[in-house]
Amino acid sequence: MRLLRSTDLALRVLMRLAVSGESTPTTRDVAAGMDVPYTHLAKVVAELQHMGLLAARRGRGGGLTLTERGRTASVGAVVRAFEGDGDVVDCEGPTPCPLNSACRLRGALRRAQEAFFASLDPITVADIVAEPTGALLLGISRGADRRDV
């Protein structure tokens, strides 16, 4: 299973904001620091804001901040929200699988997908930025911030 690019970006944004302290980087700052297109990141940020995981303020002194809900958010819940609840394989697609009515693979893949999500459920955003990851992220973030000046 491979995560969607938007899921990867969402987790990386949450991690970046979790170590930013009093700093309130803008979406452009974060996009530049992550070396991703601003438009892609802006869509992810909008969804994270809609989920209540981060706050975004416009204008002078504005920027992004992680909410308490974002800090305690389950990684599994974030991944589910961005990945959706679709099957790993598309058995009903434009060319439906001829085994569809008697297939055992679809159920096995669904159980594996749920096990994947379940293994991420107890992990929070705060957990994934605990030491030594947090210090490394902070160093990367500061380097990116210095490049932008």
Side-chain angles (χ1 to χ4, degrees):
M1 184 172 158
R2 185 175 184 96
L3 296 179
L4 297 171
R5 180 75 169 143
S6 59
T7 306
D8 174 47
L9 292 175
L11 293 171
R12 290 170 54 197
V13 166
L14 293 172
M15 291 172 71
R16 164 70 165 82
L17 295 177
V19 299
S20 63
E22 298 297 314
S23 165
T24 56
T26 65
T27 303
R28 286 197 190 281
D29 294 338
V30 176
M34 292 170 55
D35 197 25
V36 297
Y38 167 78
T39 53
H40 294 332
L41 196 68
K43 291 175 188 174
V44 169
V45 164
E47 182 60 28
L48 291 170
Q49 185 179 11
H50 177 74
M51 294 169 65
L53 304 181
L54 63 81
R57 287 176 301 168
R58 292 179 172 221
R60 188 173 185 91
L64 305 174
T65 55
L66 190 65
T67 64
E68 186 55 34
R69 183 175 177 186
R71 186 168 303 285
T72 61
S74 160
V75 172
V78 174
V79 172
R80 272 189 190 88
F82 277 86
E83 292 292 314
D85 59 357
D87 288 326
V88 175
V89 293
D90 185 10
C91 301
E92 307 290 333
T95 309
C97 178
L99 299 174
N100 200 10
S101 64
C103 182
R104 292 182 170 191
L105 179 60
R106 186 177 191 179
L109 290 173
R110 173 53 90 178
R111 287 188 300 277
Q113 181 181 26
E114 281 307 312
F116 171 74
F117 290 141
S119 70
L120 296 174
D121 284 340
I123 303 167
T124 66
V125 171
D127 293 336
I128 60 176
V129 297
E131 295 306 323
T133 305
L136 181 59
L137 276 169
L138 194 54
I140 293 169
S141 297
R142 285 184 182 145
D145 292 344
R146 281 194 293 272
R147 274 198 316 263
D148 294 339
V149 175

